[in-house]
Amino acid sequence: MTTVITFPVQEDADELAAASGAPRPLTVHRIPVTGYAPLGAPPVKLRPRPSPQPADSEAAAAPGASEQLHWHSDPGDDARVDAIARSVTQAALEVLGGTRPLQQMVRWLDPVSFERLQLRANLVRSRNAAQNGGRVPGGTPAPAPLLLHRQVVIRCCRICPVSEGVYEASVAAAEHNRVRAAALRIELRRGLWKITALEIA
């Protein structure tokens, strides 16, 4: 025996919904908008914004302008600069700690940065001598303590290419009982990478 299931038509479904108190389905009516609406603002047509034109056409046509806009750093230079930033930061902290001679930094630092590091190393050495008694009985300055087992560990290094042949780097290094930060500016000069700015906190 076959069972036949009949479904109510739409009118019967609406009557059943009204009798049972069930909510009715929402009905969407599309109203065409022409001109000004009586209760609202007129429709606004969105248009794409035109691309900005260069103020100086000669500057835009200058040689090298397109290369500067589409310049990308060389992965080989990125790796080299990262290694230089790590090595120079470690060496500079060892110079300040008295475990590395300052003359080894001549190759990497420009004259201004070298003089600043030399001045800071002298100040650190004088402070250490003052903390250890100043002068020995013979009248000579007390030698600064030499930490032979002082290790500087580079925690992280981030480099940022500024332009072609110019990078900026930030390095975090752990030494002794604290973590120090260093900021470097590295530039390619006559085929050699030089540190033109070095700040150690």
Side-chain angles (χ1 to χ4, degrees):
M1 183 174 183
T2 304
T3 304
V4 178
I5 302 175
T6 58
F7 295 94
V9 295
Q10 184 64 30
E11 293 79 5
D12 296 339
D14 292 341
E15 292 178 2
L16 290 174
S20 63
R24 288 183 142 188
L26 297 178
T27 306
V28 179
H29 300 282
R30 299 185 179 275
I31 302 175
V33 179
T34 56
Y36 288 89
L39 298 178
V44 178
K45 294 183 180 180
L46 301 178
R47 294 174 182 163
R49 181 179 299 176
S51 59
Q53 299 296 330
D56 190 1
S57 59
E58 296 180 358
S66 59
E67 288 82 356
Q68 291 179 359
L69 294 177
H70 302 286
W71 174 80
H72 297 285
S73 61
D74 183 14
D77 288 344
D78 292 351
R80 192 174 299 111
V81 169
D82 182 86
I84 291 173
R86 292 171 178 268
S87 299
V88 170
T89 301
Q90 180 175 355
L93 291 176
E94 290 174 352
V95 167
L96 296 178
T99 60
R100 179 185 292 268
L102 178 65
Q103 294 302 321
Q104 293 185 5
M105 305 297 293
V106 175
R107 159 67 179 84
W108 299 105
L109 302 180
D110 68 341
V112 176
S113 301
F114 182 82
E115 289 178 2
R116 294 187 62 184
L117 182 62
Q118 183 179 22
L119 176 62
R120 186 166 180 179
N122 292 338
L123 292 175
V124 171
R125 193 178 304 111
S126 300
R127 185 194 63 184
N128 291 339
Q131 289 177 352
N132 292 326
R135 292 183 176 273
V136 294
T140 58
L146 185 63
L147 302 178
L148 296 178
H149 301 287
R150 182 173 185 171
Q151 292 184 351
V152 178
V153 180
I154 303 300
R155 294 297 186 187
C156 66
C157 177
R158 296 181 181 273
I159 62 172
C160 175
V162 178
S163 61
E164 188 173 1
V166 180
Y167 284 79
E168 291 182 352
S170 60
V171 183
E175 60 156 359
H176 218 18
N177 55 355
R178 62 173 175 169
V179 176
R180 306 183 71 171
L184 304 89
R185 186 176 180 89
I186 309 169
E187 299 182 13
L188 185 62
R189 293 184 175 180
R190 298 181 181 179
L192 298 176
W193 291 100
K194 283 283 187 179
I195 310 298
T196 58
L198 174 62
E199 299 290 340
I200 300 177

